[in-house]
Amino acid sequence: MGVLQRFERRLGGLVEGTFARVFGGVVQPVEVAAALQREAADKKTIVGRGRVLVPNDYVVELGASDAQRLGEYDAPLRRELGAMVEEHAAEQGWSFVGPVGVRLEQVDDLATGVFRVRSAVLNPQPVAAPPVAAVRPPARAVPPTAPGPFARPQLRLLAGGAERSERVVPLVDDVTRLGRGAEADVRLADSGVSRLHAEIRIDGEDASVVDLRSTNGTSVNGRPVQSSRLADGDRIGLGATVLIFTRGR
């Protein structure tokens, strides 16, 4: 039995068949589930050798009529859609940077039976430190701890240079290769980008971008470079693609 079939069976048992009546002739849950699978596949990113990252935050935009119909079933539907995304990712060997969440939002410009899906990669909030005991032993020198897995730097990929972020790529490896070809760790769908265009190198707290003899070159903040150290907020240009380098939060 496939992921979508298991999803339908669980959903049908939640409220003893009322979902079938609610969704008759309008947005069908299995259509939303299939759209979430496609969204994950479209936004998947190779972030390291053998590791594929997909979004963990999904928003389903619905017209007013569909949103009102779904109001009573919001929580169980979102829960089952999230579980379906996790199952599908597990079957494909994909991973997330944090818990999977699905939200339903009303958008007034959508007609009944029409919906849209958008997604993002969201890191979980840092866990609060436990309270400090009232009495502590004498202070002593403690070596600094290494940053956690979500303190690594990131790249924000902008769609055609627009300020709206297309996706976020955590830099989990010391070297991340950028390019259009299958051998790149982060693939960019841009004809102006070479198959292996540039690479981001992480060395402790230092980061740099190195051009790999690309056809159209690499720039940092509009200046052509062969190699350049990166600071928080630097804009890396490859073809028509803009990537913003940010320090991990």
Side-chain angles (χ1 to χ4, degrees):
M1 181 182 296
V3 173
L4 292 179
Q5 288 75 25
R6 292 196 298 271
F7 165 76
E8 282 192 294
R9 176 168 293 185
R10 290 197 307 269
L11 198 63
L14 280 175
V15 286
E16 298 180 350
T18 56
F19 272 101
R21 296 194 297 273
V22 168
F23 286 95
V26 289
V27 172
Q28 299 289 333
V30 70
E31 294 176 344
V32 176
L36 292 174
Q37 289 188 3
R38 291 193 298 271
E39 178 73 8
D42 290 344
K43 296 296 178 64
K44 68 179 184 292
T45 303
I46 301 174
V47 296
R49 291 162 182 79
R51 185 184 178 198
V52 177
L53 183 72
V54 294
N56 61 314
D57 183 71
Y58 297 84
V59 177
V60 180
E61 298 180 347
L62 298 159
S65 176
D66 288 314
Q68 290 171 7
R69 253 185 214 97
L70 295 179
E72 184 179 351
Y73 310 104
D74 179 75
L77 179 58
R78 289 189 294 106
R79 184 170 59 249
E80 289 300 332
L81 286 170
M84 181 280 306
V85 172
E86 291 177 343
E87 289 181 22
H88 181 61
E91 287 190 354
Q92 302 299 319
W94 300 338
S95 58
F96 308 97
V97 298
V100 175
V102 178
R103 289 172 288 138
L104 307 179
E105 286 189 1
Q106 178 175 327
V107 178
D108 293 334
D109 67 346
L110 289 178
T112 300
V114 178
F115 66 94
R116 291 191 297 253
V117 174
R118 68 179 193 270
S119 64
V121 175
L122 295 184
N123 288 345
Q125 295 297 317
V127 178
V132 180
V135 178
R136 292 186 291 181
R140 60 188 179 88
V142 179
T145 57
F150 301 116
R152 299 285 290 185
Q154 301 174 342
L155 289 178
R156 285 181 49 226
L157 278 66
L158 304 187
E163 287 302 325
R164 184 178 64 83
S165 178
E166 180 179 89
R167 68 182 194 265
V168 177
V169 179
L171 298 172
V172 298
D173 294 323
D174 292 338
V175 177
T176 302
R177 300 177 299 175
L178 313 174
R180 183 168 44 86
E183 61 270 41
D185 299 316
V186 177
R187 297 185 65 181
L188 304 173
D190 183 339
S191 60
V193 172
S194 299
R195 294 183 62 83
L196 274 180
H197 195 110
E199 63 186 22
I200 305 295
R201 298 177 182 176
I202 306 297
D203 183 9
E205 295 185 355
D206 294 330
S208 60
V209 59
V210 178
D211 185 80
L212 300 178
R213 299 182 180 179
S214 65
T215 301
N216 295 319
T218 301
S219 66
V220 175
N221 299 325
R223 179 176 59 87
V225 299
Q226 177 60 40
S227 176
S228 176
R229 292 185 64 179
L230 295 172
D232 189 49
D234 278 349
R235 299 171 68 94
I236 305 167
L238 286 72
T241 301
V242 176
L243 307 93
I244 298 182
F245 173 81
T246 59
R247 293 289 181 184
R249 294 292 188 265

